[in-house]
Short mmCIF file of all heavy atoms in Angstrom, two decimals:
data_model
loop_
_atom_site.label_atom_id
_atom_site.label_comp_id
_atom_site.label_asym_id
_atom_site.label_seq_id
_atom_site.Cartn_x
_atom_site.Cartn_y
_atom_site.Cartn_z
N HIS A 7 110.06 89.75 97.69
CA HIS A 7 111.48 90.39 97.67
C HIS A 7 112.34 89.53 98.52
O HIS A 7 111.78 88.49 99.12
CB HIS A 7 111.39 91.74 98.19
CG HIS A 7 110.95 91.85 99.65
ND1 HIS A 7 111.74 91.66 100.74
CD2 HIS A 7 109.61 92.18 100.10
CE1 HIS A 7 111.00 91.72 101.80
NE2 HIS A 7 109.74 92.20 101.52
N LEU A 8 113.60 89.74 98.57
CA LEU A 8 114.53 88.96 99.33
C LEU A 8 114.86 89.65 100.56
O LEU A 8 114.50 90.76 100.75
CB LEU A 8 115.71 88.64 98.48
CG LEU A 8 115.37 87.83 97.24
CD1 LEU A 8 116.32 88.03 96.02
CD2 LEU A 8 115.17 86.40 97.55
N THR A 9 115.43 88.86 101.43
CA THR A 9 115.58 89.34 102.94
C THR A 9 116.75 90.26 103.17
O THR A 9 116.63 91.04 104.07
CB THR A 9 115.62 88.25 103.93
OG1 THR A 9 116.56 87.20 103.45
CG2 THR A 9 114.26 87.57 104.09
N ASN A 10 117.80 90.17 102.30
CA ASN A 10 118.87 91.07 102.42
C ASN A 10 119.69 91.04 101.26
O ASN A 10 119.51 90.13 100.40
CB ASN A 10 119.75 90.83 103.72
CG ASN A 10 120.31 89.41 103.76
OD1 ASN A 10 120.77 88.93 102.76
ND2 ASN A 10 120.00 88.71 104.87
N LEU A 11 120.58 91.96 101.09
CA LEU A 11 121.48 92.12 99.84
C LEU A 11 122.24 90.84 99.61
O LEU A 11 122.36 90.29 98.45
CB LEU A 11 122.42 93.31 100.03
CG LEU A 11 123.41 93.59 98.84
CD1 LEU A 11 122.54 93.83 97.54
CD2 LEU A 11 124.31 94.71 99.18
N GLU A 12 122.78 90.26 100.69
CA GLU A 12 123.61 89.06 100.53
C GLU A 12 122.75 87.84 99.91
O GLU A 12 123.33 87.25 98.95
CB GLU A 12 124.21 88.65 101.86
CG GLU A 12 125.45 87.73 101.73
CD GLU A 12 125.85 87.27 103.23
OE1 GLU A 12 125.50 87.98 104.17
OE2 GLU A 12 126.35 86.19 103.20
N GLN A 13 121.61 87.72 100.48
CA GLN A 13 120.78 86.69 99.95
C GLN A 13 120.34 86.97 98.44
O GLN A 13 120.26 86.04 97.62
CB GLN A 13 119.49 86.58 100.76
CG GLN A 13 118.68 85.28 100.39
CD GLN A 13 117.23 85.44 100.72
OE1 GLN A 13 116.76 86.40 100.97
NE2 GLN A 13 116.48 84.34 100.63
N ALA A 14 120.05 88.26 98.26
CA ALA A 14 119.64 88.68 96.82
C ALA A 14 120.80 88.30 95.82
O ALA A 14 120.47 87.77 94.73
CB ALA A 14 119.44 90.25 96.81
N GLN A 15 122.06 88.52 96.26
CA GLN A 15 123.18 88.31 95.31
C GLN A 15 123.20 86.68 95.10
O GLN A 15 123.41 86.31 94.02
CB GLN A 15 124.43 88.78 95.99
CG GLN A 15 124.43 90.38 95.95
CD GLN A 15 125.52 90.90 96.83
OE1 GLN A 15 126.06 90.32 97.77
NE2 GLN A 15 126.03 92.09 96.41
N THR A 16 123.01 85.96 96.19
CA THR A 16 123.00 84.48 96.04
C THR A 16 121.91 83.92 95.15
O THR A 16 122.21 83.12 94.25
CB THR A 16 122.93 83.80 97.51
OG1 THR A 16 123.84 84.42 98.40
CG2 THR A 16 123.14 82.41 97.39
N VAL A 17 120.75 84.52 95.44
CA VAL A 17 119.65 84.10 94.57
C VAL A 17 119.79 84.42 93.16
O VAL A 17 119.53 83.65 92.29
CB VAL A 17 118.26 84.56 95.25
CG1 VAL A 17 117.13 84.44 94.22
CG2 VAL A 17 118.01 83.99 96.49
N ALA A 18 120.28 85.62 92.87
CA ALA A 18 120.51 86.07 91.51
C ALA A 18 121.48 85.12 90.79
O ALA A 18 121.22 84.71 89.70
CB ALA A 18 121.02 87.46 91.46
N ARG A 19 122.49 84.64 91.54
CA ARG A 19 123.41 83.84 90.92
C ARG A 19 122.78 82.40 90.65
O ARG A 19 122.93 81.81 89.55
CB ARG A 19 124.63 83.58 91.92
CG ARG A 19 125.88 82.89 91.30
CD ARG A 19 127.02 82.99 92.27
NE ARG A 19 127.61 84.28 92.51
CZ ARG A 19 127.45 84.93 93.76
NH1 ARG A 19 127.24 84.28 94.78
NH2 ARG A 19 127.98 86.16 93.81
N ASP A 20 121.97 82.03 91.67
CA ASP A 20 121.32 80.66 91.47
C ASP A 20 120.43 80.62 90.39
O ASP A 20 120.19 79.50 89.72
CB ASP A 20 120.67 80.21 92.79
CG ASP A 20 121.71 79.88 93.92
OD1 ASP A 20 122.88 79.70 93.61
OD2 ASP A 20 121.25 79.78 95.15
N LEU A 21 119.75 81.75 90.09
CA LEU A 21 118.69 81.76 89.10
C LEU A 21 119.35 82.10 87.71
O LEU A 21 118.62 82.14 86.71
CB LEU A 21 117.65 82.82 89.36
CG LEU A 21 116.56 82.62 90.48
CD1 LEU A 21 115.67 83.86 90.67
CD2 LEU A 21 115.73 81.40 90.22
N GLY A 22 120.61 82.22 87.71
CA GLY A 22 121.36 82.51 86.44
C GLY A 22 121.42 83.90 86.05
O GLY A 22 121.69 84.21 84.88
N TYR A 23 121.07 84.77 86.86
CA TYR A 23 121.23 86.18 86.64
C TYR A 23 122.61 86.78 87.08
O TYR A 23 122.73 87.44 88.07
CB TYR A 23 120.19 87.08 87.31
CG TYR A 23 118.73 86.77 86.84
CD1 TYR A 23 117.92 85.89 87.58
CD2 TYR A 23 118.29 87.27 85.68
CE1 TYR A 23 116.66 85.56 87.21
CE2 TYR A 23 116.99 86.95 85.28
CZ TYR A 23 116.14 86.12 86.01
OH TYR A 23 114.87 85.80 85.60
N SER A 24 123.70 86.22 86.38
CA SER A 24 125.08 86.47 86.96
C SER A 24 125.39 87.97 86.93
O SER A 24 126.09 88.39 87.83
CB SER A 24 126.07 85.69 86.00
OG SER A 24 125.73 86.11 84.65
N GLY A 25 124.70 88.74 86.07
CA GLY A 25 124.98 90.24 86.06
C GLY A 25 124.58 90.85 87.30
O GLY A 25 125.15 91.83 87.79
N LEU A 26 123.58 90.31 88.00
CA LEU A 26 123.07 90.95 89.16
C LEU A 26 123.73 90.46 90.38
O LEU A 26 123.74 91.10 91.49
CB LEU A 26 121.55 90.52 89.33
CG LEU A 26 120.54 91.10 88.53
CD1 LEU A 26 119.12 90.44 88.76
CD2 LEU A 26 120.36 92.53 88.84
N ALA A 27 124.41 89.31 90.37
CA ALA A 27 125.06 88.69 91.49
C ALA A 27 126.06 89.50 92.25
O ALA A 27 126.19 89.47 93.37
CB ALA A 27 125.59 87.40 91.11
N ASP A 28 126.78 90.40 91.47
CA ASP A 28 127.83 91.17 92.12
C ASP A 28 127.45 92.58 92.20
O ASP A 28 128.38 93.46 92.43
CB ASP A 28 129.22 90.94 91.42
CG ASP A 28 129.02 91.04 89.90
OD1 ASP A 28 127.97 91.48 89.54
OD2 ASP A 28 129.97 90.87 89.17
N GLN A 29 126.23 92.92 92.19
CA GLN A 29 125.80 94.36 92.33
C GLN A 29 125.57 94.76 93.78
O GLN A 29 125.15 93.96 94.58
CB GLN A 29 124.55 94.63 91.48
CG GLN A 29 124.70 94.21 90.00
CD GLN A 29 125.60 95.15 89.26
OE1 GLN A 29 125.97 96.24 89.76
NE2 GLN A 29 126.07 94.73 88.04
N ASP A 30 125.76 95.99 94.03
CA ASP A 30 125.56 96.45 95.42
C ASP A 30 124.16 97.18 95.57
O ASP A 30 123.42 97.14 94.68
CB ASP A 30 126.61 97.55 95.71
CG ASP A 30 126.72 98.69 94.71
OD1 ASP A 30 125.69 98.86 93.96
OD2 ASP A 30 127.56 99.59 94.88
N LEU A 31 123.92 97.65 96.76
CA LEU A 31 122.70 98.29 97.13
C LEU A 31 122.24 99.33 96.09
O LEU A 31 121.19 99.40 95.70
CB LEU A 31 122.56 98.72 98.63
CG LEU A 31 121.24 99.18 99.04
CD1 LEU A 31 120.20 98.08 99.12
CD2 LEU A 31 121.35 99.90 100.43
N GLU A 32 123.22 100.16 95.77
CA GLU A 32 123.07 101.24 94.83
C GLU A 32 122.29 100.68 93.56
O GLU A 32 121.30 101.24 93.15
CB GLU A 32 124.31 101.85 94.55
CG GLU A 32 124.25 103.37 94.03
CD GLU A 32 123.80 104.20 95.19
OE1 GLU A 32 123.94 103.96 96.30
OE2 GLU A 32 122.97 105.08 94.79
N PHE A 33 122.86 99.59 93.12
CA PHE A 33 122.26 99.04 91.81
C PHE A 33 120.77 98.53 92.03
O PHE A 33 119.90 98.80 91.28
CB PHE A 33 123.08 97.82 91.33
CG PHE A 33 122.51 97.15 90.15
CD1 PHE A 33 122.70 97.63 88.81
CD2 PHE A 33 121.59 96.09 90.25
CE1 PHE A 33 122.13 97.01 87.78
CE2 PHE A 33 121.01 95.51 89.17
CZ PHE A 33 121.31 95.99 87.98
N TRP A 34 120.58 97.90 93.14
CA TRP A 34 119.21 97.36 93.41
C TRP A 34 118.21 98.48 93.58
O TRP A 34 117.09 98.33 93.32
CB TRP A 34 119.27 96.39 94.63
CG TRP A 34 119.87 95.12 94.46
CD1 TRP A 34 121.19 94.85 94.34
CD2 TRP A 34 119.18 93.93 94.07
NE1 TRP A 34 121.44 93.59 93.99
CE2 TRP A 34 120.24 92.98 93.76
CE3 TRP A 34 117.89 93.50 93.93
CZ2 TRP A 34 119.96 91.57 93.39
CZ3 TRP A 34 117.58 92.23 93.50
CH2 TRP A 34 118.61 91.26 93.31
N CYS A 35 118.66 99.65 94.05
CA CYS A 35 117.86 100.86 94.23
C CYS A 35 117.40 101.28 92.84
O CYS A 35 116.38 101.99 92.71
CB CYS A 35 118.60 102.06 94.95
SG CYS A 35 118.74 101.79 96.61
N SER A 36 118.01 100.93 91.80
CA SER A 36 117.65 101.40 90.40
C SER A 36 117.08 100.27 89.60
O SER A 36 116.81 100.38 88.40
CB SER A 36 118.77 102.08 89.68
OG SER A 36 119.42 102.98 90.35
N ALA A 37 117.10 99.01 90.16
CA ALA A 37 116.82 97.82 89.36
C ALA A 37 115.33 97.76 89.13
O ALA A 37 114.50 98.10 89.91
CB ALA A 37 117.28 96.55 90.06
N PRO A 38 114.89 97.32 87.92
CA PRO A 38 113.52 97.26 87.54
C PRO A 38 112.95 95.93 88.07
O PRO A 38 113.55 94.96 88.27
CB PRO A 38 113.54 97.21 86.04
CG PRO A 38 114.89 96.53 85.66
CD PRO A 38 115.83 96.95 86.77
N PRO A 39 111.48 95.97 88.29
CA PRO A 39 110.91 94.59 88.70
C PRO A 39 110.95 93.59 87.63
O PRO A 39 111.16 93.97 86.39
CB PRO A 39 109.48 94.98 88.84
CG PRO A 39 109.29 96.28 88.07
CD PRO A 39 110.59 97.00 88.01
N GLN A 40 110.97 92.37 87.97
CA GLN A 40 111.20 91.21 86.90
C GLN A 40 110.22 90.14 87.23
O GLN A 40 110.02 89.77 88.40
CB GLN A 40 112.60 90.64 86.94
CG GLN A 40 113.67 91.63 86.65
CD GLN A 40 113.75 92.03 85.21
OE1 GLN A 40 113.07 91.28 84.31
NE2 GLN A 40 114.45 93.15 84.82
N THR A 41 109.60 89.52 86.20
CA THR A 41 108.93 88.24 86.41
C THR A 41 109.92 87.24 86.42
O THR A 41 110.63 86.94 85.46
CB THR A 41 107.99 88.04 85.20
OG1 THR A 41 107.12 89.16 85.11
CG2 THR A 41 107.07 86.83 85.52
N VAL A 42 110.10 86.51 87.55
CA VAL A 42 111.18 85.45 87.63
C VAL A 42 110.72 83.93 87.69
O VAL A 42 111.48 83.11 87.76
CB VAL A 42 112.16 85.77 88.80
CG1 VAL A 42 112.93 87.10 88.60
CG2 VAL A 42 111.44 85.82 90.14
N ASP A 43 109.39 83.83 87.84
CA ASP A 43 109.01 82.48 87.88
C ASP A 43 107.50 82.24 87.30
O ASP A 43 106.72 83.19 87.61
CB ASP A 43 109.15 82.00 89.42
CG ASP A 43 109.35 80.61 89.55
OD1 ASP A 43 109.37 79.76 88.51
OD2 ASP A 43 109.41 80.02 90.71
N ASN A 44 107.31 81.23 86.65
CA ASN A 44 105.91 80.85 86.33
C ASN A 44 105.46 79.70 87.22
O ASN A 44 106.31 78.75 87.45
CB ASN A 44 105.99 80.22 84.86
CG ASN A 44 106.37 81.40 83.89
OD1 ASN A 44 106.43 82.53 84.22
ND2 ASN A 44 106.52 80.96 82.58
N ILE A 45 104.34 79.82 87.80
CA ILE A 45 103.88 78.81 88.78
C ILE A 45 102.60 78.14 88.41
O ILE A 45 101.64 78.82 87.73
CB ILE A 45 103.53 79.65 90.15
CG1 ILE A 45 104.79 80.55 90.50
CG2 ILE A 45 103.26 78.75 91.33
CD1 ILE A 45 104.53 81.63 91.46
N THR A 46 102.59 76.91 88.57
CA THR A 46 101.32 76.02 88.36
C THR A 46 100.97 75.52 89.72
O THR A 46 101.74 74.85 90.35
CB THR A 46 101.54 74.92 87.34
OG1 THR A 46 102.21 75.50 86.23
CG2 THR A 46 100.31 74.27 86.94
N VAL A 47 99.69 75.71 90.14
CA VAL A 47 99.26 75.16 91.39
C VAL A 47 97.98 74.29 91.05
O VAL A 47 97.01 74.75 90.33
CB VAL A 47 98.74 76.26 92.40
CG1 VAL A 47 98.56 75.70 93.76
CG2 VAL A 47 99.83 77.30 92.40
N THR A 48 97.93 73.11 91.70
CA THR A 48 96.79 72.22 91.46
C THR A 48 96.05 72.14 92.86
O THR A 48 96.77 71.75 93.87
CB THR A 48 97.17 70.80 90.88
OG1 THR A 48 97.85 71.02 89.74
CG2 THR A 48 95.93 70.01 90.63
N SER A 49 94.79 72.33 92.84
CA SER A 49 94.01 72.16 94.02
C SER A 49 93.64 70.75 94.28
O SER A 49 93.79 69.98 93.29
CB SER A 49 92.66 73.01 93.83
OG SER A 49 91.69 72.52 94.78
N VAL A 50 93.22 70.39 95.54
CA VAL A 50 92.92 69.02 95.72
C VAL A 50 91.62 68.74 94.92
O VAL A 50 91.12 67.53 94.80
CB VAL A 50 92.70 68.61 97.20
CG1 VAL A 50 94.11 68.63 97.91
CG2 VAL A 50 91.80 69.68 97.96
N THR A 51 90.88 69.76 94.58
CA THR A 51 89.71 69.57 93.80
C THR A 51 89.98 69.17 92.32
O THR A 51 89.10 68.76 91.55
CB THR A 51 88.76 70.85 93.66
OG1 THR A 51 89.61 71.82 92.96
CG2 THR A 51 88.46 71.32 95.00
N GLY A 52 91.32 69.27 91.96
CA GLY A 52 91.67 68.81 90.56
C GLY A 52 91.84 70.18 89.76
O GLY A 52 92.47 70.13 88.64
N GLN A 53 91.41 71.33 90.10
CA GLN A 53 91.43 72.62 89.38
C GLN A 53 92.97 73.07 89.38
O GLN A 53 93.58 72.94 90.36
CB GLN A 53 90.57 73.59 90.07
CG GLN A 53 90.52 74.88 89.28
CD GLN A 53 89.75 75.98 90.13
OE1 GLN A 53 89.14 75.63 91.14
NE2 GLN A 53 89.73 77.18 89.61
N THR A 54 93.42 73.45 88.18
CA THR A 54 94.74 74.00 88.06
C THR A 54 94.73 75.50 87.65
O THR A 54 93.94 75.81 86.88
CB THR A 54 95.47 73.08 87.03
OG1 THR A 54 95.61 71.85 87.52
CG2 THR A 54 96.96 73.70 86.81
#
Side-chain angles (χ1 to χ4, degrees):
Chain A
H7 63 80
L8 296 156
T9 45
N10 56 51
L11 179 60
E12 200 186 335
Q13 193 210 6
Q15 291 166 334
T16 309
V17 168
R19 194 171 295 121
D20 289 349
L21 285 177
Y23 296 101
S24 53
L26 285 176
D28 46 8
Q29 302 292 344
D30 57 10
L31 185 65
E32 205 60 38
F33 175 87
W34 286 81
C35 283
S36 307
Q40 299 288 343
T41 307
V42 294
D43 210 356
N44 296 352
I45 307 161
T46 307
V47 191
T48 305
S49 159
V50 289
T51 64
Q53 188 187 349
T54 295

